């Protein structure tokens, strides 16, 4: 096994990988930008190296700086996490050239899969089903012709893309031109590559993906699917495994195709094959993600495996320690992505200082978090703070445990989207498994009435008791100045409380 | 002690008096005996006739005071009854000119309206990019774009006024 | 399902049951003594009733007060947790008479099993294997005779006992008399019953127990064993499932005997049958615990079931929702009991205020806790603060994940036994599965050298930097007064830190 | 600034100076450049040539200062070099009369020795019951029971001296 591994990432995924290192007796090396000196991944690592300013391109996306940190730390391998350099074949190649093991697939597999159009060609040869559309990036006029051919609505997608960037839905020829320009410029901004291709648009599909795992001996297995249809602006918000609509037979067929995709790409380490599923449960190859997914914990819960341990294992060149038939799926798991964003304000990002953090635990609850009380969420990066994952004997128990855990979760000082998950998990359609990629947008248009008429009165009383207990330390009759002191943490409990505490102490004897 | 407390825009008149063991509370005329204990910083446990409530107090970056009960969050303003701010706080919501402020630092991507335009409640005004996400700032009311105080491509700080709707 | 359930307990188990209630939409009713007004179970419940002073006999052990609270709250059922009234048949009967469902077995089963000697007679009839000894409580002279007969060493045990109270090992006739008297008086003190019986002593046995579950239709299943050999003073410290020495065949035989025990007792709800296992892997019936065990989470991890949900389910009169053959055991789980006690001071209890609490989470970690930062651990009750449970694909991974989690766990202000678990989990014998009830005592006699020569220097430097940063706010050159302020929480960061923070802020731009 | 710091009974001479970005530290003559950051209350993050240390500071009920690094805990005393307490702290361990104190409130169950008895290091002296557990308090050294200051059955408070061994 490796002696020392550098994690070229930040936040919850860096923490999760550092934990895996500690579990296996591997020394972990963190890297951090100026604004991440106090980040949790730096606190938890055995080594930490500063790699530059907040701007990702000058730190977490900077290949030279990361390799320099790896050399200085003597790391034998690098885990890229997700995002940042995780799907950058040049980085994987640079690691190889530097004699450092990149924990992931070969740069060749990444390149083949990285460009959606090339992936498409290879997969077609492997007999993988596709949504009708263009094989590769098109100029506007070709695109107009093909759009007419497959029929509107159509979807424009960035060839180098992912996570919804550079995607545009076009429902009529009139919109195609501007959509095409926007998609190209956004693709250029996001990926430095403005190649855009076209696909027939499938109304309200499900997004189901299959986890695969390969070793360098050429063995590839599938570890069950994940349902990722609950999305906002093409961003996954909640994922689960198994999918409510996938039965054993469909799982086997989808899994075998995913394995074929992996083998066609000479794939090893962890990968995910994404499919679109239509109402008739036909599925079409969407894309392959050549990295560990954000949502890998739901697969870990239902398989009982640790995918990061497994990544380390195969990266050392050893074969997979099990065969397809050894995989035992059991129970149901659901992941909620806790973001620093304000549900009451159009999900606007909400960075800042976490003044209070009360975290859930207990049966069936896993929490992968990158935050802690007193830490300030920087504005420069993705607002994912933590992942709350619930396991249950069945889907209903997993849902109920998550609702319980969300009830316990309190993040003070900033806004988070926890209330969104309460809405989702209580929604009758969701509970019945009736979800598709349009589900969340529909839900958010419904009025949100989580109200108990008595509560506002309790809130008023609580505010008065807080104020009264503290006022007694200052001038009687004055009130708490709400506007002042807002940015600082609230003042410590003062004599009003102290007296109250003393009284209780007396009472308790 | 006596307070006027605004909870989500509605005023409640609250009297609280600490007794030997319990607090006597009167909210909008309704009497209650309350067992109150501060369990941790900003965490208050109330027992009212056996029913338990945990109230978490939070001050947001913008300085608003919130009371969180279970999964419900309430914006609260504690008022000195003699002050006038209460009425504003309650009335303010819809009348008069409204400032569109940047809730956080970011970059202005697009401005969707021009000064003088009529806008309706919920209509998109300005697209801002922050934390890798584009967000549309919407009009809080039906009205008219009185002023645009920023430009496409400019960087803004939290609290900056970007536009005024009247 | 019940609408409202009262939990006649405190601490982590009350919290765990309250969580199950919330998950199933059941309203939870907590009870608390004077010193528990701020306890976590009171914070988490929907209702809470004060039931008296700190002394358990006047609160948590007081049947009338608990039933009164149940009546006032309108609870339809009572969950007793473990300890306190959980194995008190009179309480179960009083609940029945009050028309409140006792969530557990019938008072008749409890009585049959409550007295070890009567249990023994019934089990013998059911063909359950026993360690040779007396059938019932004996007078001294009979005891001397029988001791000679089965041969020394022998063990004296309280008939009403449990958890090591009233147990005495006697290795020669000379010791029998005083041991007998001590055992009787301790039994009287602990259980109000001085009946004491005798058993042949098996040197360094293993303690393995089988979880069973029954419904009121008479179905009884077994849910796998738990190895509980790691004990200090006959108190379980760490438990795991499966046992390193139990294979499928032994599990089936042990499980079937446990089911026979349950059926012989007309048992329903959750119960545990304890066995002694000798070096040849022969097992002997020890006793039956007619309650939910502290260590039930390890069984929940390997079965994927929620035993408390299941308790509620069968308590409503419904049959078990599965059959024996549906039980799928997978992976390995280990539980560490985190106690407020000082490993460096002979494991002396260490109550007091928790000034700092940093809790582990992440893959394979479950934490059932009754503490929170700022809470004061009362001196009146059992010092169990929390249970840290680790799951893994196999035993080694479970051990490694626990070590990782223990590394993250920090409880400040009081002492806890976390360092003990690091010693156990790193011990070669433990890792090889070579454990018996004498294991821990042997381990504790070994020297504990968890030392890194560099660390004390780092500690000194850290102390100096803490002191220096704070000193600058006061008079230069003065040092931190260690002796003062000890009881209060440490002072908040002051201007020395503020300046440092500002400098960092500048640097970070 | 300069400190004599006692870690688990051993003195270290420590000089710390805060620079622009880093602290210059000299411990027992050894020079180090340290990147120090307070990440949370009582939690200090140190980076020394890439190696990361998290140090948690704790004051116990008895007022002792501890530094916790990873899973290791160190009893620390920060000394003004001019004071004399240091020498005591270091020497104190074994010489002179030792008080046996109750670490917490409890009940004395049994007293196993009498005044004047010779006792050896680790020998049981007093059995105390607290938190439902009986605990034997042992002699910290070879010596003689100078005084017994409690009686069987009596209730004692934290810090009470129960016996003196000389």
């Amino acid at each position: 096994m490796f002696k020392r591994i550098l994690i070229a990432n930040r936040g919850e995924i860096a923490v999760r990988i550092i934990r895996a290192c500690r579990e296996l007796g591997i020394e972990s090396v963190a890297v951090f930008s100026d604004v991440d000196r106090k980040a949790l991944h730096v606190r938890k690592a055995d080594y930490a190296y500063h790699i530059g300013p907040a701007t990702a391109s000058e730190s977490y996306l900077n290949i030279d700086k990361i390799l320099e940190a790896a050399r200085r730390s003597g790391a034998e391998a690098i885990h890229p996490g997700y995002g940042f350099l995780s799907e950058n074949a040049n980085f994987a190649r640079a690691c190889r050239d530097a004699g450092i093991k990149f924990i992931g697939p070969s740069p060749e597999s990444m390149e083949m899969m990285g460009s959606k159009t090339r992936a498409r060609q290879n997969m077609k040869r492997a007999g993988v089903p596709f949504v009708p559309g263009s094989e590769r990036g098109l100029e506007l006029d070709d695109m107009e012709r093909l759009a007419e051919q497959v029929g509107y609505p159509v979807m424009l997608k960035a060839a180098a893309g992912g996570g919804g960037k550079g995607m545009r839905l076009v429902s009529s020829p009139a919109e195609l031109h501007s959509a095409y320009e926007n998609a190209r410029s956004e693709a250029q901004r996001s990926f430095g590559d403005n190649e855009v291709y076209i696909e027939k648009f499938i109304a309200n599909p499900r997004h189901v993906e299959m986890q695969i795992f390969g070793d360098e001996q050429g063995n590839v297995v599938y570890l069950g699917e994940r349902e990722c249809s609950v999305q906002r602006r093409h961003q996954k918000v909640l994922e689960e495994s198994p999918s409510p609509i996938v039965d054993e037979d469909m799982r086997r067929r989808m899994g075998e195709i995913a394995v074929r995709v992996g083998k066609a790409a000479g794939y090893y380490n962890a990968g995910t094959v994404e499919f679109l599923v239509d109402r008739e449960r036909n599925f079409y190859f969407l894309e392959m993600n050549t990295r560990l997914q954000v949502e890998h914990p739901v697969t870990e819960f239902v398989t009982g495996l640790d995918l990061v341990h497994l990544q380390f294992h195969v990266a050392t060149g050893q074969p997979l320690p099990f065969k397809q038939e050894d995989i035992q799926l059991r129970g149901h798991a659901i992941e909620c992505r806790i973001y620093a964003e304000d549900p009451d304000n159009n999900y606007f990002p909400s960075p800042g200082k976490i003044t209070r953090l009360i975290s859930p635990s207990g049966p069936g609850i896993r929490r992968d978090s990158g935050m802690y009380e007193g830490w300030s969420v920087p504005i420069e990066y993705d607002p994912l703070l933590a992942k709350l994952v619930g396991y249950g004997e069945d889907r209903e128990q997993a849902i109920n445990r998550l609702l319980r855990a969300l009830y316990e979760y309190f993040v003070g000082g900033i806004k988070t989207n926890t209330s969104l998950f309460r809405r989702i998990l209580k929604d009758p359609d969701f509970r019945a498994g009736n979800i598709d990629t349009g589900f969340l947008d529909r839900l958010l248009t419904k009025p949100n009435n989580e109200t108990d008429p008595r509560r506002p009165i309790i809130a008023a009383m609580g505010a008065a008791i807080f104020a009264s207990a503290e006022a007694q330390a200052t001038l009687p009759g004055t009130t708490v100045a709400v506007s002042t002191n807002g940015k600082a943490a609230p003042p410590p409990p003062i004599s009003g409380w102290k007296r109250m505490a003393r009284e209780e102490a007396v009472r308790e004897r | 002690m006596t307070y006027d407390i605004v909870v989500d825009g509605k005023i409640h008149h609250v009297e609280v008096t600490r007794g030997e063991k319990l607090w006597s509370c009167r909210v909008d005329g309704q009497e209650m005996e309350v067992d109150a204990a501060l369990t941790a910083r900003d965490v208050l446990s109330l027992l009212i006739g056996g029913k338990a409530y945990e109230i978490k107090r939070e001050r947001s970056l913008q300085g608003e005071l919130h009371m969180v009960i279970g999964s419900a969050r309430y914006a609260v303003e504690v008022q000195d009854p003699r002050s006038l701010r209460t009425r504003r706080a309650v009335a303010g919501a819809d009348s008069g000119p409204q400032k569109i402020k940047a809730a956080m630092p970011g970059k202005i991507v697009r401005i969707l309206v021009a000064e003088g335009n009529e806008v309706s409640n919920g209509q998109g005004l300005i697209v801002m990019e922050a934390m890798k996400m584009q967000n549309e700032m919407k009009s809080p009311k039906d009205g008219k774009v009185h002023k645009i105080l920023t430009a496409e491509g400019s960087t803004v700080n939290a609290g900056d006024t970007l536009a005024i709707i009247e």
Side-chain angles (χ1 to χ4, degrees), chain A, chain B:
Chain A
M1 186 43 77
F2 303 106
K3 192 182 160 307
R4 194 173 294 159
I5 291 176
L6 181 142
I7 296 93
N9 214 303
R10 64 179 300 282
E12 70 82 21
I13 190 61
V15 171
R16 190 260 175 276
I17 296 161
I18 288 166
R19 281 172 163 158
C21 288
R22 193 170 299 286
E23 287 162 12
L24 293 170
I26 301 165
E27 292 182 310
S28 55
V29 181
V31 292
F32 62 94
S33 72
D34 288 343
V35 294
D36 275 343
R37 171 62 182 91
K38 298 183 177 184
L40 191 60
H41 72 284
V42 177
R43 289 180 58 186
K44 289 206 178 292
D46 295 314
Y47 297 83
Y49 289 85
H50 176 253
I51 52 166
T55 316
S57 58
E58 299 173 55
S59 50
Y60 298 106
L61 282 171
N62 187 305
I63 293 177
D64 296 341
K65 285 177 170 172
I66 288 185
L67 287 178
E68 170 57 20
R71 268 187 293 272
R72 282 165 61 201
S73 67
E76 306 161 59
I78 294 180
H79 195 305
Y82 53 70
F84 292 127
L85 294 169
S86 60
E87 298 189 279
N88 182 320
N90 298 333
F91 179 58
R93 190 168 282 108
C95 290
R96 179 194 284 170
D97 299 344
I100 294 168
K101 180 69 181 182
F102 175 83
I103 298 173
S106 68
E108 293 71 21
S109 308
M110 290 165 81
E111 275 160 347
M112 182 189 289
M113 289 311 197
S115 157
K116 288 214 191 63
T117 51
R118 288 187 45 211
R120 194 180 174 89
Q121 292 147 17
N122 290 288
M123 294 311 109
K124 275 219 161 166
R125 265 183 245 106
V128 176
F130 277 88
V131 177
S134 70
E135 305 280 303
R136 46 184 183 68
L138 294 178
E139 293 311 312
L140 183 55
D141 49 359
D142 301 336
M143 194 161 279
E144 282 168 333
R145 218 168 295 112
L146 186 56
E148 289 302 337
Q149 199 177 306
V150 304
Y152 285 90
V154 296
M155 186 66 97
L156 305 189
K157 296 186 177 182
K165 296 284 190 327
M167 280 173 76
R168 289 290 186 283
L169 172 61
V170 185
S171 45
S172 77
E175 304 167 13
L176 188 61
H177 187 170
S178 63
Y180 180 70
E181 293 311 331
N182 294 343
R184 281 171 71 89
S185 58
E186 192 169 323
Q188 185 64 50
R189 265 211 319 287
S190 308
F191 315 108
D193 169 356
N194 68 2
E195 194 179 348
V196 170
Y197 70 103
I198 183 175
E199 253 176 25
K200 171 147 184 64
F201 176 70
I202 294 173
N204 300 338
R206 283 173 178 260
H207 176 127
V208 179
E209 61 187 25
M210 183 62 65
Q211 177 71 54
I212 66 167
F213 220 105
D215 60 29
E216 300 183 8
Q217 289 69 24
N219 307 302
V220 183
V221 298
Y222 62 91
L223 302 178
E225 78 283 2
R226 291 181 293 256
E227 164 90 53
C228 308
S229 299
V230 180
Q231 305 184 348
R232 219 181 117 261
R233 302 172 168 180
H234 304 292
Q235 292 275 13
K236 296 169 187 170
V237 167
L238 174 148
E239 306 94 346
E240 63 185 301
S241 182
S243 160
I245 53 149
V246 174
D247 56 21
E248 282 215 2
D249 169 66
M250 184 175 176
R251 179 172 304 115
R252 206 197 65 261
R253 287 184 291 118
M254 194 179 256
E256 283 165 358
I257 284 170
V259 166
R260 220 182 302 152
V261 170
K263 290 192 162 164
Y267 200 86
Y268 52 77
N269 215 294
T272 295
V273 181
E274 297 190 339
F275 295 95
L276 271 189
V277 182
D278 68 18
R279 282 202 184 64
E280 294 68 39
R281 294 170 65 232
N282 304 310
F283 53 90
Y284 308 98
F285 177 80
L286 198 55
E287 63 173 301
M288 178 166 187
N289 299 315
T290 59
R291 61 167 195 274
L292 185 72
Q293 301 278 92
V294 175
E295 57 270 27
H296 74 278
V298 296
T299 298
E300 292 185 320
F301 254 137
V302 295
T303 59
L305 301 170
D306 187 307
L307 298 192
V308 177
H309 286 203
L310 212 48
Q311 286 189 292
F312 293 165
H313 177 83
V314 301
T316 61
Q318 297 177 74
L320 285 168
F322 51 76
K323 305 219 166 314
Q324 186 64 56
E325 56 270 28
D326 303 326
I327 308 296
Q328 251 191 86
L329 303 182
R330 191 186 70 188
H332 198 100
I334 305 177
E335 169 181 280
C336 300
R337 299 189 183 192
I338 310 298
Y339 284 111
E341 55 185 26
D342 183 356
D344 303 328
N345 178 20
N346 194 30
Y347 295 90
F348 204 77
S350 173
K353 181 168 186 167
I354 295 167
T355 55
R356 201 91 179 79
L357 181 60
I358 300 175
S359 299
S361 61
I365 293 303
R366 167 177 170 179
R367 189 167 40 81
D368 280 22
S369 171
M371 63 180 156
Y372 62 90
E373 185 172 296
W375 179 60
S376 290
V377 182
I379 65 164
E380 287 81 0
Y381 308 112
D382 182 279
L384 180 63
L385 296 173
K387 298 179 315 199
L388 186 67
V389 194
Y391 173 84
E393 300 164 36
D394 52 28
R395 188 167 186 267
E396 186 185 13
Q397 189 179 71
I399 289 172
N400 291 338
R401 280 174 161 175
L402 271 175
L403 280 167
R404 185 271 297 170
L406 286 163
Y407 183 89
E408 297 178 354
Y409 220 154
F410 178 66
V411 184
I414 63 170
K415 299 291 197 312
T416 70
N417 61 343
T418 47
S419 64
L420 171 65
F421 295 110
R422 272 189 292 273
R423 286 183 70 179
I424 294 169
L425 295 168
K426 287 176 176 173
D427 180 74
D429 279 334
F430 178 82
R431 294 186 77 104
N434 300 331
I435 48 177
D436 57 54
T437 52
F439 164 78
L440 190 48
D441 292 340
R442 293 194 301 275
L443 177 69
L444 291 176
T445 60
K446 298 182 195 168
N448 178 19
N449 30 35
E450 241 195 14
T451 50
D452 165 352
R454 191 167 163 69
R455 288 290 176 80
I457 296 194
I458 302 300
M461 195 184 324
I465 291 174
F466 268 118
S468 160
E470 280 167 11
Q472 310 197 4
T474 60
L475 293 173
T478 59
T479 62
V480 173
V482 178
S483 48
T484 64
N485 234 330
K487 292 198 170 34
I494 39 187
S495 69
W497 283 125
K498 291 223 192 71
R499 192 174 329 117
M500 197 162 153
R502 269 199 303 280
E503 289 168 10
E504 280 159 7
V506 172
R507 197 188 321 157
E508 284 168 3
R509 287 209 192 83
Chain B
M1 248 177 274
T2 304
Y3 303 90
D4 282 346
I5 296 183
V6 187
V7 179
D8 287 350
K10 183 173 178 312
I11 299 189
H12 300 276
H13 186 73
V14 185
E15 259 177 84
V16 292
T17 320
R18 185 189 300 129
E20 257 314 294
K21 290 159 170 272
L22 302 178
W23 291 64
S24 307
C25 301
R26 176 198 284 272
V27 184
D28 302 334
Q30 185 187 356
E31 293 277 4
M32 279 172 275
E33 290 289 286
V34 179
D35 177 350
L38 185 78
T39 54
R41 173 171 56 80
D42 289 326
V43 181
L44 183 62
S45 163
L46 300 183
L47 299 182
I48 307 172
K51 187 89 185 71
Y53 298 92
E54 177 157 290
I55 304 183
K56 302 183 187 84
R57 175 175 62 174
E58 182 198 339
R59 288 204 184 75
S60 74
L61 270 174
Q62 285 69 36
E64 309 132 13
L65 183 68
H66 288 103
M67 297 288 148
V68 178
I69 306 176
S71 52
R73 168 185 296 268
Y74 299 94
V76 166
E77 213 176 327
V78 179
Q79 292 295 343
D80 177 332
R82 289 171 295 285
S83 94
L84 296 168
R85 292 166 51 217
T86 310
R87 225 163 290 105
R88 263 201 274 96
V90 182
D94 250 41
S95 67
Q98 299 279 305
K99 289 179 175 172
I100 308 303
K101 291 188 173 196
M104 54 170 300
K107 187 157 162 300
I108 301 303
V109 179
R110 263 190 315 289
I111 296 177
L112 308 168
V113 292
E115 290 184 3
N117 288 174
E118 297 288 339
V119 292
S120 51
N121 187 353
Q123 177 179 343
L125 303 174
I126 291 170
V127 180
M128 185 168 164
E129 180 162 323
M131 275 175 126
K132 313 267 153 290
M133 290 172 64
Q134 291 198 3
N135 290 275
E136 199 171 65
M137 308 185 68
K138 296 180 160 45
S139 175
K141 55 181 251 184
D142 299 339
K144 195 149 172 271
V145 179
H146 176 58
K147 269 207 170 325
I148 301 279
L149 299 153
T150 183
E152 294 191 358
S154 60
T155 311
V156 297
N157 295 318
D160 288 1
T161 299
L162 307 179
I164 299 171
I165 306 302
E166 64 178 13

